[in-house]
Structure formats: structure tokens, C-alpha cells
Amino acid sequence: MLRSLTQMPADMSSDSRRQLLNAVTDLFLLDDEPTELAKEHYGKIALHALPRLENDHRKDYAEQVAEMETLPREVATSLAGDPDSEVARLVLKLSPVLTDADLAAIAVSQSQRHLAAIAERSRLSESVTDILVERGDRVVLETVSSNEGADLSDQGFERLIERSAGDAGIGLALSTRSNLSPGRADRVMRIVEELSDENGLWSKPSDEAVTLARQARQHRLEVKLLLVDLVANRRALDDVVTMLAEEDRAYHLAQVFAQIGEISIEQALRILMQRDVSGIAVLCRALNLGALAFEAILTLRAQRLLFARKAAEDDLKSYMQLDSATAERTLRFLKLKMKLA
């Protein structure tokens, strides 16, 4: 049926095209695992219709498909590169289909609003972050600075410091990141304290700004002690995970999972924040994490990734049905696969 719709009549109105595209999208979404041929046919329909839709209609469509894992990549890149940033925004922020190359191409060519949407993604590679740091305005720089999922290369970090010179908001956002290395954290802390001594640079009282930066440093020290306590069995994993999840400390959660699960922090953070819940469910079940702790993780993910509450409830039910032995075997297989990659 999708194949028969790949050619739309030339005289169709924008509203008729919108209705047809929505109907075909509903049909396409019925299949959780569409074939490559079905994706190809659906992509042709969408790409043929989109340039002929009004901005509001393209925006509505983009919001409907932004999170689709089966969305044809050509459709995702078309929406993400739309000249209207309101059309592109949610796709740039949420689409799991876009590659680093796609994001980089948009980041070097589109508006600051496009860059701001990219800066909000839950995970950003160093290569994409470097472009945002080089091209972004103050809003983009502050968003990148506070986004713990945005990896910063040494060059990107230096450039961010350079471009944010004298800007207290960016300095404060950067200082409160949980995943700064000790060297970077000390450097940013010195910048924050220096700026706090100058009049008129902070929108908040200087003592509050420094307090926030010191609090972030304290959190970094705290998680090191928590990891020691976990290894010595002085703290229960469920208690630590629940506390960190309720405080929305995703990077610190990744540190805990990395040490206990014997994987890298990068792998743990990717599993925690990817839209597919199966990875974090397998890891948590293999570590015998209880329902309340996993529910706290689902709440954190819902807030970060804009999931509906019903989706989190369904994921919790599926988690409770997941067999621990199966999860342990799956985790061992994934570790082996990651080592060989």
C-alpha cells in the first residue's frame, strides 16, 4: 500500500497532503520493525510531501515523528535542516536517527536556533560539541556548558574558556558540571571565584555563584566516597542509585554503573540516556536493582528525554518481568562485544 502512494497528485492542496501524510504515518507506525523496502516507500512519500506543506503543518509532523527510531534518515535530515527552526527543533533535540555527520553538517550551516536545539541533545560527541563551541552564540555556549552529555575535547574546552571570558553565566554553567576532570574543575573554579570578586558580572550574588560551583565540586568528591562505600558493602546499591536519580545526577549514576557493572563511564552513560530502555534495564536487572530504584531511574529518564508517564509505567512492568539470569548472560555478551569492537 505504501508503494502505491509514493506519487501524489500534483494538484493536491497543502492540507490534503498533510492529511494523506498523517494517514500514511499512522499506517507506518503500526509496524514496530518495518522492512527496508517499507521505509524506502514511506520516505519517498514524506520527502515528496514536506516541501509542499505549510510551516505549521511541517512543524506538527516533525513533532509527531521526532522520536521515531524507524524514521528514514533522509526524512530526519530534511526536517532537522528545515530553514524554520521551529520545524527542526524537536528533531534536532530528540531524533535517534541523526548521526554525528548529520548534526555536524547542520551545525556548520544553520541558524543559532538550530544550534541551540542540537546543544540540548542528551548525548553529543566531541566533534559536534567543538562546532557548537566555535559557532554558537551565548545561549548555545551556556547550554553546551551545562549539558553533561556534551563531550568536550581538550581543544573544545580551551575554546569554550576563551569564548566565555568574562561571561559569568557560562562560567557558572560549566563549573556545575559533574563530569569535569579534576584539572578542568580546578581551573573553572578559579575562574568562577575571580569573576565573583568583580562587580556587575553576576546576575546572582557572588557568594551564591561561588556556593553553586563549590557544591558541584563537593558532589564530585561525594560520588568518589559513595563508590568506596559500595565496594566495601557499607552502602546498598539501591539506596545510592535512588539518591542520585532523585537528584538528577545522571553522570554520577553512570560512574556508579561503570564501576559496579565493570564497563566504561562512556558506555554506562550511553546506556542510561539512550531512548531504548532495554540496555539500562538489562544492566540494572543483572545488578539486581530493585523496582523502586529502577523507577527512580525511569523518572530521571522521563525528565531528561521527555517521555510520557505511561511509557515509564510500561517500562517498569517490563523490567519486573525480566529474568535476572537472562540479564546477566546478556550483559556478559554485551561486554564481550564491546571489548571486540
Side-chain angles (χ1 to χ4, degrees):
M1 182 175 179
L2 286 177
R3 186 174 184 177
S4 66
L5 293 172
T6 54
Q7 295 297 324
M8 296 184 184
D11 58 350
M12 286 183 70
S13 67
S14 175
D15 191 58
S16 296
R17 290 178 186 278
R18 176 186 63 82
Q19 293 180 26
L20 179 57
L21 180 58
N22 286 343
V24 175
T25 300
D26 290 340
L27 178 64
F28 183 70
L29 288 172
L30 290 176
D31 190 349
D32 292 333
E33 298 182 0
T35 64
E36 289 302 314
L37 186 60
K39 291 174 68 173
E40 179 184 348
H41 291 156
Y42 174 74
K44 288 181 178 179
I45 296 170
L47 291 173
H48 186 74
L50 284 172
R52 298 166 176 80
L53 297 183
E54 300 293 335
N55 284 16
D56 287 347
H57 292 166
R58 294 203 311 281
K59 179 175 179 291
D60 290 342
Y61 173 73
E63 291 176 352
Q64 182 183 7
V65 302
E67 301 179 52
M68 279 176 55
E69 296 183 358
T70 57
L71 186 69
R73 181 171 165 230
E74 294 81 2
V75 179
T77 55
S78 175
L79 292 169
D82 195 289
D84 187 337
S85 61
E86 287 302 307
V87 175
R89 186 178 66 85
L90 275 187
V91 177
L92 287 172
K93 180 177 179 178
L94 300 175
S95 177
V97 178
L98 297 175
T99 65
D100 281 351
D102 298 329
L103 294 169
I106 293 168
V108 299
S109 61
Q110 293 293 343
S111 73
Q112 292 298 320
R113 289 181 177 271
H114 288 77
L115 269 63
I118 296 174
E120 293 179 346
R121 288 180 71 89
S122 60
R123 296 293 299 144
L124 285 172
S125 68
E126 290 182 356
S127 59
V128 176
T129 303
D130 285 353
I131 298 172
L132 297 178
V133 168
E134 187 62 40
R135 288 200 66 229
D137 61 13
R138 184 186 183 282
V139 172
V140 175
L141 294 181
E142 187 166 348
T143 303
V144 166
S145 297
S146 62
N147 183 356
E148 295 181 345
D151 292 335
L152 281 166
S153 66
D154 290 340
Q155 178 182 343
F157 177 75
E158 292 298 329
R159 184 60 173 149
L160 182 56
I161 293 294
E162 179 184 340
R163 292 204 60 204
S164 63
D167 191 311
I170 296 174
L172 180 59
L174 189 57
S175 72
T176 55
R177 284 176 67 129
S178 301
N179 57 347
L180 290 177
S181 65
R184 288 183 179 182
D186 288 342
R187 185 174 175 190
V188 173
M189 188 64 191
R190 288 197 299 271
I191 293 172
V192 169
E193 291 175 335
E194 288 171 5
L195 287 174
S196 70
D197 292 333
E198 300 178 20
N199 294 325
L201 287 179
W202 293 104
S203 59
K204 298 181 179 182
S206 60
D207 59 341
E208 183 180 353
V210 174
T211 296
L212 288 173
R214 287 175 176 165
Q215 183 182 60
R217 183 167 61 179
Q218 182 61 37
H219 280 169
R220 291 190 286 269
L221 295 174
E222 178 190 43
V223 77
K224 292 180 180 180
L225 296 177
L226 287 174
L227 289 171
V228 171
D229 284 348
L230 283 171
V231 172
N233 292 319
R234 289 193 292 266
R235 296 286 294 268
L237 179 62
D238 280 41
D239 293 341
V240 172
V241 167
T242 300
M243 180 191 75
L244 295 176
E246 289 179 346
E247 294 179 4
D248 195 28
R249 293 163 62 180
Y251 185 80
H252 291 155
L253 263 179
Q255 286 183 282
V256 169
F257 285 134
Q259 177 159 317
I260 303 302
E262 298 179 339
I263 58 178
S264 72
I265 295 176
E266 170 65 26
Q267 290 164 345
L269 189 58
R270 184 166 60 248
I271 291 171
L272 176 64
M273 298 310 298
Q274 69 186 8
R275 301 196 69 77
D276 184 357
V277 75
S278 59
I280 190 61
V282 165
L283 177 59
C284 289
R285 179 54 85 188
L287 298 176
N288 293 314
L289 204 70
L292 292 178
F294 190 70
E295 185 176 16
I297 290 175
L298 292 176
T299 300
L300 179 152
R301 284 168 47 82
Q303 293 169 345
R304 292 285 189 102
L305 303 176
L306 304 181
F307 283 138
R309 181 174 179 80
K310 180 62 167 61
E313 293 174 353
D314 292 341
D315 288 339
L316 180 59
K317 291 178 182 177
S318 298
Y319 178 74
M320 296 308 298
Q321 297 170 0
L322 182 60
D323 178 64
S324 295
T326 301
E328 290 173 6
R329 288 195 299 270
T330 303
L331 183 59
R332 285 196 297 270
F333 170 76
L334 291 175
K335 286 181 183 179
L336 178 61
K337 184 177 179 182
M338 287 185 288
K339 286 181 180 179
L340 294 176

